[in-house]
Amino acid sequence: MVKSYLRYEARSVFGIISSPTGNAVFDHSGKLSITPALENVIVWDIKKGTQVARWSDSENKAEVTCIARNPNGKDYAVGYADGSIRLFDLTNNAVNVILNGHRGSISALEFDPTGTVLASGARDTDLILWDVVGEVGLYKLRGHKDEITGIAFVPSSKDADSALNASSEGYIVTSSKDTLVKLWDLRARHCVQTLVTHRSEVWSLAVSPDRRLLVTGTSDMDMRVWSIDIEKLEDTSVDRSNLSAEDAAKSWEAITEYGTIQRASKDRVVDLQFHPTGLYLACLSSDKQVEVFRTRTHAEIKKKMARRQKRTREKRKKDKDSMDADGDESNSGGSGDEADENTSEITAADELTSFKVIRTSAKPVSLDFNPTESDIAALHRQSSLQILVSQNNNSLHTWNLPIPPPGKTTKQANLPEPSLMSSIEMLGHRSEPRTLALSSDNELIASAANKSLRVWNAQTGSCVRTLECGTALCAVFLPGDQLIVIGTKEGTLELYDIPSASLVETFDAHEGAACWSIDVRPDKKGLVTGGADKCVKFWDFELVREPQGDSSVVSRRRMTLEHVKTLKMSDDVLVVKCSPDSRLLAVSLLDTTVKVFYADTLKFFLSLYGHKLPVVSMDISSDSTLLVTGSADKSVKLWGLDFGDCHRSILAHQEPVTAVKFVWGTHYFFSAGKDKLVQQWDGDNFQRIQKLEGSHGDVWALLVAKHGNFIVASSQDRSIRVWDKTEEPLFLEEERERELEEIYDRGLEESLDRKESTIGRGDGEDEEIEGEESQRAGKATMETLKAGERIMEALELADEERKKWHEFEERKRKMPQLNPAPPDTNPVLMFEKLSPEAYVLRTVERIRAAELEDALLALSFSRVLSLMAYIDIWARREWNTPITCRVLFFVLKTHQNQIVATRTMRAQLDSIRQHLRAGVNQQRDQIGYNLAALSSLRTEWEDNATAQFFDEKDIQSILDGQLKKRKFTGIKA
């Protein structure tokens, strides 16, 4: 009988507040924060510091790299490291749309002002525009040679009422690491201007809300400010699509250099963002500071220019007096006029001035202004700004920045320094947790990192206690689960009391050398420690009485540790482990060997050698017969403790092994490594049972519950992941087949990426042309391939069904006297209660809109001819005209040459044209009727909800007949 195992499934991930790979943004109310958390997105309540919701997709394993807020107030675009984009709804916390088009990590996302078009940039240097309403990619723009770092829409002054107008009008500005900033015309789908002034990577850009200024940030100390000519952008009389890049650059420049602004920081710019009012500009630098610039008013600029001109005149007069004293009679009138002209020009430094600097506790990742502060009057009444800053140490801060009232400068207002309003720090480590400990009842998990020790509830993932500690390297719960001991890099043992969250006592265990390992003895009477001082030390638990200040109070007893004996070794001790039967003690040394001693007499028993690098983790089975060792040489070895023979050496990981643990009562064990994997093995037949993925960094520590009910792993990405054992059986052969299928699918996706498909004039022109800037937006994935297979299966089933009924009708027509029996209906069609034509349409409708075009590319031309017959039927019966048109147009574009060369298709095409035109006209009339009705309802509402009023003086003038023209104001309810 084939042996079966039980499968482990991922249950939860905790310890993550904000991952450093993505940006955090405010929600539209300014009360919540949308924050990346590795492959998930967490919605935090900023004031309470609690998690409101968690957005996740079971099909996704890639990290979140970018988040953008939609102006509609409920949708958020989330970009991932695998190039996919998901649109989440804040109201129901669910995925609405999945968009695939990029072949690199998403680096920039931006919605247009209408919220109907999304622009995305990635490491693959492509810029893609997506129709959010239609859930499809519009087109792809190519021109950059490196990762796109910033995107900003420069919309037209005309209000776009639909996604079609929004996607065909206006401009987009993009920045890239190739040092270029490009201006794209959405109407021409062409780059109309390229800014080549930068000498290093452009890391971020920002466009002011009034579309007048463009600011770019690089690695230099100066930010470049550019002026945008709105009149040139709105001039649509000139067709620039046919102009070459040189001609366009010479004849038409809508963006001109305005000047530079010096920053206080010497490090590169991380993020730039204008305040919604346009009055402030925030610059985030990688040296732990946020510099805020203020936009001067017209009066302040005028006053500053007057002072500058006055200083220039005084300086010129002083220079003239000194020259007259020297007898110089040269005429300097020309230079004076030129100086006056130069001082009368407004520069970027005149308009933008440094306001405040916010110092952060760690390197910042992103910033965001509160979107509710868009009203200038309300902002001045509030007299402060709110800035959300996410940091790379797994924390989230909200800063309050006081601003001066209108008409006053910063000096006149005497403003206080920026203050920290709220922070979310307690629910995660600032650095990666290097060790884990599990309580005896499997209820508590302790994780220790540099300067912090946290205790978590194993079931809910909530943080129970937070304590400050040293640089922890190992930790263990003491019997009773009330105390925990950690070993530090400084060589001390720190004893903590969990209920009181206090440090009980500190012991100088290894004389300043790192304490690498701790293990509680099986008799529960003491523990063993090993350190870099080449010593293994034995400690006993003792109860001592604490002296009280008042002699009348009974003294309290507490636990302490007493050093009883020391075992000297020849090299640094990395791991110590006691056998469950209290008979043996295994010690791993830096010289790559493992020494085994008798625990009672400390007499040498075995020396296990075979690893090429030191053993960093080991464990002994519950029956004390097997020892498993994990080494930095990427291998795991199984040893017998009776004779010290090596049962099997397994190359378990692609990177060094960091942890190994046996499951109690079995010979199954788990191993973890720096290749981000946790794997389960059978120690009897030496086969891998299961591979557990999910971590995005090196796995440092591993825990296994008493009977293997769940396992816990901590990673370099600061996450703590829990996998539960399920009742689902696992068979090794099926698991190997599934892994091979995953490898095949991954290779197939890579081959599809290499052979990038595009709409051409035929099947022979599928390769993209390098010179084309505008191309089709799409990406062939396994989902699109499977969707194409579903369409082909539906076409095959429908063709067979129609053929059967056609033959039945022929027999019935030729031989009516026989009265032939009708054929049996296909069970699938019988279950769906659909005709063959409706079944094919249902199959097409069930495919995601973003994947439909790539799914149709998988059809062979013979299947396309079959599909055209069904399109004719759909058009004749007016079934789902929008999707019928979309499928028809894409098929015609893709297979134009073959369809034109097929003469039998002409009658079918004429029929489709005739019936589809009638259906489209009917749809157009219906939409026009609905729009007219909505417009009428809007007009009626405005008439009923608008009150007219004017001043009493005007009323008296009207009554006196003196006012010829009445002035009134409309106020809407």
Side-chain angles (χ1 to χ4, degrees), residues 582-602:
S582 302
R583 191 173 67 92
L584 302 175
L585 172 69
V587 181
S588 167
L589 302 180
L590 191 62
D591 60 3
T592 74
T593 62
V594 176
K595 307 289 186 184
V596 182
F597 300 87
Y598 290 104
D600 50 357
T601 62
L602 298 184

Side-chain angles (χ1 to χ4, degrees), residues 770-937:
E770 292 294 333
E772 292 183 356
E773 281 188 339
S774 178
Q775 297 174 355
R776 186 183 69 88
K779 176 185 175 183
T781 61
M782 285 306 301
E783 286 75 15
T784 61
L785 195 60
K786 292 177 181 177
E789 291 176 354
R790 291 199 299 271
I791 295 177
M792 287 190 285
E793 291 174 358
L795 289 173
E796 184 178 356
L797 187 149
D799 288 344
E800 290 179 359
E801 188 69 16
R802 291 184 65 200
K803 183 179 178 181
K804 286 192 305 184
W805 282 95
H806 179 70
E807 293 176 352
F808 167 71
E809 293 294 338
E810 284 293 324
R811 289 198 306 269
K812 188 176 179 181
R813 183 179 60 84
K814 292 180 179 180
M815 294 178 290
Q817 65 278 9
L818 295 180
N819 193 15
D824 295 333
T825 306
N826 189 287
V828 176
L829 298 178
M830 186 180 299
F831 176 77
E832 295 282 352
K833 297 181 181 179
L834 295 174
S835 64
E837 301 83 6
Y839 177 71
V840 177
L841 180 60
R842 176 71 63 85
T843 304
V844 174
E845 288 174 340
R846 286 178 175 175
I847 298 174
R848 291 172 179 166
E851 300 173 355
L852 180 57
E853 293 184 355
D854 290 288
L856 292 173
L857 284 175
L859 301 182
S860 61
F861 186 67
S862 61
R863 295 299 180 191
V864 169
L865 295 179
S866 177
L867 180 62
M868 291 293 289
Y870 292 102
I871 292 176
D872 187 12
I873 298 173
W874 302 341
R876 190 181 303 114
R877 300 179 183 178
E878 296 183 359
W879 286 352
N880 201 338
T881 303
I883 200 168
T884 302
C885 292
R886 186 181 171 197
V887 173
L888 174 65
F889 298 156
F890 182 80
V891 169
L892 291 177
K893 288 179 182 178
T894 308
H895 304 278
Q896 180 183 0
N897 289 344
Q898 289 85 346
I899 292 175
V900 171
T902 307
R903 294 186 177 182
T904 57
M905 292 287 296
R906 180 163 184 173
Q908 196 175 70
L909 291 174
D910 289 338
S911 175
I912 293 175
R913 179 181 61 182
Q914 179 182 356
H915 295 99
L916 194 60
R917 181 171 296 175
V920 171
N921 288 336
Q922 183 179 356
Q923 291 274 331
R924 182 193 60 188
D925 295 340
Q926 184 177 359
I927 293 174
Y929 179 82
N930 293 337
L931 289 176
L934 291 174
S935 178
S936 176
L937 290 174

